[in-house]
Amino acid sequence: MRGTELSTENIATLDGMTDDEFQMRLLEEVSRTFALTIPQLPEILCRAVANAYLLCRIVDTIEDEVSLSPEQKVIFVMDLLA
């Protein structure tokens, strides 16, 4: 799946992906190490672990964003959980 960068400029490519393909593409974009090891898991476990990893990356990104106040961070994380 490597080779096509995720961006709004290649919407047709993104629209043609299944949810699982899109999730694995995201994984490749955010983690080289986990992108190599997670696909080695059994399919059902691979899907769940990849999803959990990406959700943790989202929360970590929110937490690390210095331009957000603690209150804003709480709002973003609570929106994610809703």
Side-chain angles (χ1 to χ4, degrees), residues 10-54:
N10 58 6
I11 295 293
T13 301
L14 299 177
D15 282 346
M17 290 181 182
T18 66
D19 291 344
D20 287 339
E21 289 170 337
F22 184 68
Q23 178 171 278
M24 293 311 290
R25 179 61 66 83
L26 286 175
L27 184 65
E28 290 174 357
E29 296 290 326
V30 300
S31 173
R32 288 182 223 115
T33 304
F34 283 106
L36 294 174
T37 57
I38 291 174
Q40 304 305 312
L41 297 169
E43 184 178 345
I44 189 90
L45 190 55
C46 172
R47 189 177 305 142
V49 171
N51 189 263
Y53 176 82
L54 291 170

Side-chain angles (χ1 to χ4, degrees), residues 35-71:
L36 294 174
T37 57
I38 291 174
Q40 304 305 312
L41 297 169
E43 184 178 345
I44 189 90
L45 190 55
C46 172
R47 189 177 305 142
V49 171
N51 189 263
Y53 176 82
L54 291 170
L55 289 171
C56 288
R57 284 294 305 254
I58 293 169
V59 173
D60 186 56
T61 299
I62 293 168
E63 178 60 31
D64 289 346
E65 182 52 54
V66 296
S67 68
L68 294 175
S69 70
E71 294 78 18

